[in-house]
Amino acid sequence: GVYVDDNGYLVVGGPVNKEAGETFEASSTNYGGWSSYLKYSSAKDNGLYYTAVEEALADNNKTTGVVTVYADKIDMTDISYKGTIIIPEGGKVTITNVPDDADFKVVTTEGNIIVNNNGTYESKVAVAQIGETIYTSLADALAAATEGATVTLLSNTEESIAAIENVKLATAVAGGVTVKNTYSDWIDMVNVTIGSGVTLDMNSVFYKGGENVIEGTLNAATLYNGYDAKTTVQNGGNIATTGMIVNRYHTAADAGIYVYGDGDASTVEVSCANTIGTYSGTFYAKDAVVNGDMLWIDYLKGSTQEADNYSQSKPVFENSTVNITKELRLYKDATLTLVGANVTAGTVQVRE
């Protein structure tokens, strides 16, 4: 191995230096004046390591100098550094005693951004972007978003978000991105578009009104679509729940859930491991595959506690495949329209 010690001396021999550890505070691919010695080190692709970050800065103090820093503190007393400091992903360093004539910049690895808090520089993953502004959390981006804004997701993220409203979530990342929401209660969503390539892993979701579009993937424990929300699944979008899908509390007859599939029987647009319950408004599926444990179509308001001002449930399945493993239940006033659809169910019940 080869490295520069605290006194600026080159040390040759000993263990091979393949990565930064507690021993090394910095590295540089510029090599300072030691380039000819790197033939002794198999770590040359990662640069020359330094046990003292200040020695690395002094050795590479030029406008083209580049030093990667692993230390958490840098004392720049008497070091008027003119080059670039790289902080690896997840790294953080506090820089003190910076001379007035120092002229350095702090950067991070691709896909991350530097947050500077009074001289403490931290490398964080860039999660979302609105216009030219980059955010390190989706929650921060949503808080800053104006109505109708497009929030472009740049990487996967896991965080707690209580509500998503009046935005389009999009991504250009190859293979897509996933948002894992750790919020433990109901997550309110209004006027939200989930764009292609975006996957939301949620707890329980409540669409409370507005025009909602799913062109990506929505995974939820339970999905409530209510209060005149119109939620459309289209262009390769899909819904999957481990609990119920409930379509309820609609006064407008055209409110509800609309599913437009690709006509491929191998593509499942709606998958519900429990009951799909449509109590008011529209549930419409065209060229789609809808899978559920049970499907309840209910207009007997007295038994379901539906108020008289809610619209009648009118599900329509057109050129779609509906697979119900257990019970298809219709109350006597319910309507179910099938247009070239294939519906299978374990049992069918018509109730008073």
Side-chain angles (χ1 to χ4, degrees), residues 87 91 106-116 121-128 133-137 154:
I87 302 177
V106 181
V107 300
T108 184
T109 50
E110 185 177 357
N112 303 317
I113 65 174
I114 288 292
V115 177
N116 179 8
Y121 298 84
E122 187 171 3
S123 171
K124 292 189 175 183
V125 175
V127 170
T133 305
I134 295 176
Y135 300 88
T136 58
S137 75
L154 305 175

Side-chain angles (χ1 to χ4, degrees), residues 307-321:
D308 289 339
N309 61 318
Y310 293 128
S311 64
Q312 181 176 354
S313 178
K314 295 181 179 180
V316 178
F317 298 109
E318 182 177 349
N319 298 325
S320 294
T321 299

Side-chain angles (χ1 to χ4, degrees), residues 41-268:
S41 174
S42 61
K44 59 185 177 183
D45 291 337
N46 298 325
L48 181 63
Y49 286 104
Y50 292 78
T51 58
V53 62
E54 289 80 10
E55 285 295 335
L57 296 178
D59 198 25
N60 294 275
N61 193 3
K62 51 190 174 183
T63 57
T64 58
V66 179
V67 174
T68 300
V69 173
Y70 314 111
D72 57 6
K73 294 180 181 179
I74 300 176
D75 183 350
M76 278 200 177
T77 301
D78 298 327
I79 304 175
S80 299
Y81 186 61
K82 301 294 193 297
T84 298
I85 294 173
I86 298 177
I87 302 177
E89 178 182 330
K92 181 169 67 174
V93 62
T94 300
I95 302 176
T96 58
N97 300 318
V98 178
D100 292 339
D101 58 345
D103 186 21
F104 61 89
K105 62 180 179 180
V106 181
V107 300
T108 184
T109 50
E110 185 177 357
N112 303 317
I113 65 174
I114 288 292
V115 177
N116 179 8
N117 184 15
N118 295 323
T120 297
Y121 298 84
E122 187 171 3
S123 171
K124 292 189 175 183
V125 175
V127 170
Q129 184 172 357
I130 302 174
E132 298 300 318
T133 305
I134 295 176
Y135 300 88
T136 58
S137 75
L138 177 56
D140 287 345
L142 294 174
T146 57
E147 185 171 345
T150 295
V151 179
T152 301
L153 291 160
L154 305 175
S155 61
N156 298 334
T157 183
E158 181 174 340
E159 51 192 283
S160 179
I161 300 170
I164 305 175
E165 299 180 351
N166 303 312
V167 295
K168 177 179 180 179
L169 302 177
T171 188
V173 175
V177 297
T178 298
V179 176
K180 182 175 177 58
N181 193 349
T182 59
Y183 189 70
S184 60
D185 207 340
W186 285 92
I187 301 150
D188 293 342
M189 297 179 66
V190 180
N191 289 323
V192 176
T193 294
I194 304 171
S196 177
V198 176
T199 297
L200 298 187
D201 288 342
M202 316 286 267
N203 185 32
S204 293
V205 173
F206 205 142
Y207 279 111
K208 290 186 173 180
E211 298 274 344
N212 306 285
V213 177
I214 301 173
E215 295 180 339
T217 297
L218 175 61
N219 298 321
T222 299
L223 173 62
Y224 239 91
N225 189 75
Y227 301 108
D228 290 336
K230 185 176 182 180
T231 300
T232 301
V233 181
Q234 63 184 24
N235 298 333
N238 63 89
I239 296 172
T241 67
T242 56
M244 295 182 68
I245 296 176
V246 180
N247 190 42
R248 197 171 186 180
Y249 304 131
H250 300 301
T251 58
D254 64 345
I257 298 173
Y258 293 77
V259 183
Y260 297 95
D262 59 7
D264 187 343
S266 65
T267 304
V268 178

